[in-house]
Amino acid sequence: MPERRTVALVTLGCARNEVDSEELAGRLAADGWELVENAEDADVAVVNTCGFVEAAKKDSVDALLEANDLKDHGRTQAVVAVGCMAERYGRELADALPEADGVLGFDDYADISSRLQTILSGGSVEAHAPRDRRKLLPLSPVERQEAAASVALPGHGDGAPAAPAPAEAPENVPADLPEGLAPASGPRAPLRRRLDTSPVASVKLASGCDRRCSFCAIPSFRGSFVSRRPSDVLNETRWLAEQGVKEIMLVSENNTSYGKDLGDIRLLESLLPELAAVDGIERVRVSYLQPAEMRPGLIDVLTSTEKVAPYFDLSFQHSAPDVLRAMRRFGDTDRFLELLDTIRSKAPTAGARSNFIVGFPGETEADFKELERFVTHARLDAIGVFGYSDEDGTEAATYEHKLDQEVVDERLAHLSRLAEELTAQRAEERIGETLEVLVESFDEEEGWIGRAAHQAPETDGQVILTVDSTEDADLAPGRMVRAEVVAAEGVDLVAECLIEEAGR
C-alpha cells in the first residue's frame, strides 16, 4: 500500500488564486495525495501567495512563516510557496525567506506532485527563476491560441490541447472534469478539485492582461491575455453545477477583452446566455470589467439576460483626466457617470462597485477633489480605496513628483471615510426592494446569510435574512429565495424572506 501523503492548500489573494488552488488540488489528488483542510494536519503546506500590493505580500510572508511554525509542534514537514508572489520574485523570495522549503512558479504546476514529493523526501527543488511572461506569447492576440499550448496558464488546466473526442463519446463532457469522473473515451480533462462546499465558485475566463497601466506589475508575471475556449468554460460550469454550485463568477484580469484572441471580441455576449442556461445554475456573475472597453451589446446582455446578474465591477481607479493619463488609462468623471447612467437606464437596481488609488504621483488637490466628485455622484454599492505605493518594475515607480506619505495617508483616510458613508447611503436606498438572495450560510448570532445580485462574494456586503422560526428549516445553503429589504447596516442589508414566493 502506498505511503499516505497529505497536503493542505492555503490560498491568499483574489478569486483567480482560488481557482488556481483548486487546479493544484485536482492535480495532487489525481496523483494520490490526500487533501486536508488545515495546514497542521498536512505533511506539506502549500501557500498560494498574492503579489499584488505590499499589504498582500506581507500577508503572504506571514502565512508562510505561520505554516513554518507548525513544523515544531505539528505534522507539517515542509512549507512550499506558489502563486503570484512566488512567480514574481522566485529566487529572491527563497533567499529572503529560508523558512520556505520550496518556491515554485507557474511552470512547476504541471509537475506539482513530483516537486512536493522531492521536497517531502528531503531533496531540493531549484527555486523558480522569474521571467517577463509577456514575452512568452506572440504580440498579436490572434496568434496566441496555438502558442499558448506550450505556456503554463494556471486555471486553464495543463495547457495541452484536448484530444479529439471519439464519435461515441457522450455529449457535453466537462472539459475540466476531475480525473476519475471523466469517461475513458472522452477528451483529456484539466483537473480541478473543489476545496469547499460553497454554493458559489469562480470560473477562470482568461489569464493575463494586455493593458499597460503604469502602476500595475500583474502582466509581467501573469503574462499576455489568453482566453479560455468557450467550450471549456461552459463544460466546467456544467461540472460545477453537478457539484451543487448555484452561482458562478467569471474571473480574469480583464473580462471585457474575452474573445479578442479567438477572433471575436463580442464572444462574452454570446457565452453568457449559454452559461445562464446550464441546468442547476441560478446566477452568473461577471467581474473585472474595464470601463474603456465596455460596449453597448455587453451592457445589454448583462442587464437583460435571465440569471445573469446585472452587476458591474468596473475598474475606474481614478476619475481626474491628468491622473488617468499618467496611469495610462482613459476616461474622466463625466464619461464614467454617463456609463453608469446608461447601465441604470436599462437596469435601475444594477449593482456597481470599483476600486480607486489615491496619492498617485503628481495627483494635485484639484485632482483629488475631482475624484471626490465622481465618487459622490456615482452611487456605487461597494468601494475599495488604496493609497499609492511604488511597485517593483512598474513605470509609475520611476515617476517624479511623488507625494509625501503623510499626504497619501490623509487622502486615503478621507476618501475611505467618504466611501463608507456613501455606500451606506446606497444600501439605505435599497430598502423596499425585492431581491433574489442566494442563501450561503447560517450564523448563530445573525441567522441565515446570503447575497443578492449586486453583491459579489467577500467584497460587497451581504443580506441577513429574517424568517419566522417555523420556516427556518426551509432555508439551506444553495437555495435562492425572494426577500424584501427592510433595513440596512452599513453595506449589509436586512431582508424579510418571502417564503411563500421562495424560488428554486
Side-chain angles (χ1 to χ4, degrees), residues 5-9 33-34 36 38-39 41-47 75-80 101 116-117 119-121:
R5 300 173 301 174
T6 56
V7 59
L9 286 129
W33 290 78
E34 180 182 340
V36 296
N38 300 313
D41 300 325
D43 296 315
V44 182
V46 177
V47 180
R75 179 188 177 98
T76 308
Q77 301 174 52
V79 176
V80 176
D101 300 285
L116 296 192
Q117 183 60 59
I119 293 169
L120 184 59
S121 301

Side-chain angles (χ1 to χ4, degrees), residues 80-110:
V80 176
V82 299
C84 291
M85 189 175 181
E87 173 66 35
R88 183 177 182 184
Y89 295 105
R91 291 172 181 166
E92 183 181 345
L93 177 62
D95 292 341
L97 199 70
E99 292 85 354
D101 300 285
V103 176
L104 307 180
F106 298 150
D107 294 331
D108 293 302
Y109 283 20

Side-chain angles (χ1 to χ4, degrees), residues 387-403:
Y388 172 81
S389 63
D390 286 338
E391 282 294 312
D392 298 334
T394 63
E395 180 183 355
T398 68
Y399 285 177
E400 298 179 349
H401 309 296
K402 301 282 178 61
L403 276 63

